[in-house]
Amino acid sequence: MDQQATPSTAKLYRMVMPGHLCPYGLKSKDLLEREGYEVEDYHLTTREDTDAFMEQHSVETTPQTFIDGERIGGYEALRVHFGNDNTEGDETSYRPVIAIFSVAFFLALGLSWASFGSIFTLRAAEWFIAISMCFLAVQKLQDVESFSTMFLNYDLLARSWVRYGYLYPFGEAFAGILMVTGALTWLSAPVALFIGTVGATSVFKAVYVDKRELKCACVGGDSNVPLGFISLTENLMMMLMGIWMPIKVFALGW
């Protein structure tokens, strides 16, 4: 009969104080348990305990994990030890825009179902673009100063008129909100068409003409999203809405 494997043991030292419970300590414990380790969980309950531990092991931070007598390190070092990607660094990622567009897409489908009893409606497509604009604007509005700085790396109008970089996220939010509600199309459409056209031209020149490798300010000033197809798509969607909404309202009378 095969004997059941005994779980490996790991020692974890983490801060558990009345006024502070280290989140990375909890993450380390959870990761170790998910990897099949039996965790010997040692709590550092005072500042004095923590300082003494760090001095003893010549480390500057906690938590610290030891496996088979070897110090692995903190949470990020533990992730690397188990073959997971390190979450720190400046590596480019499309994750922020994927999250935004995915939530906007399903929210648009939900609104369509609630309003018309079907997800297959033209309004769902309109809502998807308009809601995406609002979400993207919120990301920029969290830190307009940082956004405007990154924006200057490639936007042609902002380079000529710096204040445009500060106005852009407000214009995007304004147009997006009006397009969600279907109100004041005569105002929202020109705004979306203008910023979309300038943005698309700027991105196309920077990426496909000048061949520059830049990060996109589309999801805010601390973005690691590479400037390229996604950024161009954002602006093309605004251009599309800026053209389509007046046709729908004034020409077709919908």
Side-chain angles (χ1 to χ4, degrees):
M1 179 181 298
D2 293 337
Q3 293 183 344
Q4 185 175 1
T6 302
S8 300
T9 301
K11 294 183 178 181
L12 173 64
Y13 295 81
R14 61 189 179 99
M15 294 173 64
V16 181
M17 300 181 184
H20 177 67
L21 178 62
C22 178
Y24 290 104
L26 286 173
K27 283 189 169 186
S28 295
K29 184 173 183 292
D30 174 71
L31 179 56
L32 287 165
E33 290 173 344
R34 286 189 287 111
E35 291 290 339
Y37 283 81
E38 185 176 285
V39 181
E40 294 182 8
D41 192 12
Y42 296 95
H43 294 181
L44 303 171
T45 57
T46 66
R47 185 72 255 178
E48 291 74 17
D49 287 345
T50 304
D51 291 341
F53 171 82
M54 291 191 296
E55 181 178 357
Q56 177 184 355
H57 295 280
S58 300
V59 296
E60 297 181 353
T61 61
T62 60
Q64 294 290 327
T65 298
F66 295 79
I67 297 177
D68 295 330
E70 176 187 356
R71 184 178 71 83
I72 305 301
Y75 175 66
E76 294 300 336
L78 195 60
R79 282 175 52 85
V80 173
H81 177 77
F82 290 128
N84 297 325
D85 292 333
N86 194 334
T87 57
E88 296 181 341
D90 294 326
E91 294 183 0
T92 57
S93 171
Y94 286 104
R95 185 178 300 173
V97 288
I98 292 173
I100 287 172
F101 287 140
S102 297
V103 174
F105 177 73
F106 287 110
L107 180 55
L109 295 185
L111 288 172
S112 178
W113 179 266
S115 300
F116 306 109
S118 172
I119 62 175
F120 301 107
T121 64
L122 178 60
R123 196 71 180 108
E126 296 171 352
W127 274 329
F128 165 62
I129 297 176
I131 292 169
S132 297
M133 290 169 61
C134 293
F135 284 174
L136 290 166
V138 168
Q139 293 294 106
K140 300 175 178 72
L141 288 168
Q142 292 182 82
D143 189 344
V144 177
E145 189 68 38
S146 294
F147 162 75
S148 65
T149 301
M150 183 177 286
F151 198 51
L152 286 169
N153 284 320
Y154 57 89
D155 190 83
L156 298 175
L157 180 55
R159 287 184 164 192
S160 300
W161 181 40
V162 173
R163 299 309 299 175
Y164 176 66
Y166 294 88
L167 295 174
Y168 181 97
F170 293 95
E172 185 176 32
F174 175 77
I177 291 169
L178 291 181
M179 287 178 171
V180 169
T181 62
L184 301 178
T185 299
W186 61 270
L187 183 57
S188 63
V191 172
L193 181 59
F194 178 80
I195 62 178
T197 302
V198 174
T201 303
S202 300
V203 172
F204 185 84
K205 181 179 185 300
V207 176
Y208 299 104
V209 177
D210 298 338
K211 307 294 185 181
R212 300 176 65 197
E213 294 185 3
L214 299 170
K215 291 179 181 177
C216 179
C218 55
V219 290
D222 58 350
S223 166
N224 281 334
V225 176
L227 186 69
F229 175 75
I230 296 295
S231 317
L232 186 60
T233 300
E234 173 196 4
N235 288 286
L236 290 176
M237 287 195 306
M238 285 192 283
M239 291 175 62
L240 176 63
M241 284 291 280
I243 295 170
W244 164 247
M245 293 300 285
I247 293 175
K248 171 187 172 182
V249 173
F250 301 117
L252 302 179
W254 291 2

